[in-house]
Amino acid sequence: MRQNETIAFAGTLVDILVAGEETGRQFSLLRITNPPSVWTPPHRHLHEEETICVLSGQVQVWTEGETRSLSAGEVVILPRGQAHRLGNAGPETARALVFCTPSGFEQFVREAGQATGALASAQAPDAEALARLASLSSRFGIELLPSG
């Protein structure tokens, strides 16, 4: 049995629970821990569909010009190619499962992030981490979009 990996990635902690190499590249399952006030940059996945299930806290999802706030037990599906942004505007840490089909996004997380211990706390990304994210995104079919 493979041991879970914890990666510091873009201001969040990502636990890779199931990787593509375990599923014939059909899917991957990640758990994200997102501190308050941390948002992904606006982006779209050209290869994966993401299904996000909130475990605790509040996850806000911006897509198609509107923002939805999701609580524990709520789910959103983000089709491939759809621009979106995820964040935590609540006062407490948010946790969610992210189901990616097919797999591949977890490899982007591994390469753009930094392996860390399971007990680490998420830190805002520094300039080097953001540069690594930007330099690897197109290789993994992630299109970073303007914030405006």
Side-chain angles (χ1 to χ4, degrees):
M1 179 179 225
R2 183 183 68 79
Q3 186 170 348
N4 293 343
E5 302 167 66
T6 301
I7 311 288
F9 174 76
T12 66
L13 290 180
V14 178
D15 296 307
I16 301 174
L17 303 177
V18 178
E21 52 267 21
E22 299 170 84
T23 68
R25 308 274 180 239
Q26 296 298 305
F27 72 90
S28 61
L29 180 63
L30 314 173
R31 180 177 49 225
I32 59 169
T33 302
N34 194 0
S37 302
V38 172
W39 285 80
T40 65
H43 65 283
R44 75 177 96 235
H45 298 254
L46 302 178
H47 303 305
E48 305 89 20
E49 177 172 87
E50 290 180 294
T51 302
I52 298 165
C53 177
V54 179
L55 299 172
S56 63
Q58 296 279 317
V59 173
Q60 288 194 324
V61 180
W62 169 89
T63 186
E64 298 183 340
E66 71 177 63
T67 301
R68 278 182 55 196
S69 186
L70 303 173
S71 299
E74 293 186 294
V75 175
V76 65
I77 297 171
L78 300 168
R80 74 192 67 183
Q82 184 177 62
H84 62 278
R85 186 175 190 211
L86 305 172
N88 180 356
E92 64 186 59
T93 297
R95 295 180 65 205
L97 292 175
V98 180
F99 182 74
C100 300
T101 54
S103 69
F105 181 65
E106 78 281 9
Q107 190 59 36
F108 176 58
V109 169
R110 285 173 174 146
E111 292 190 32
Q114 185 171 15
T116 187
L119 299 177
S121 59
Q123 303 292 323
D126 60 18
E128 180 183 328
L130 291 173
R132 195 168 49 248
L133 184 81
S135 72
L136 291 168
S137 60
S138 64
R139 189 171 118 214
F140 287 94
I142 308 292
E143 183 181 351
L144 298 178
L145 304 169
S147 294

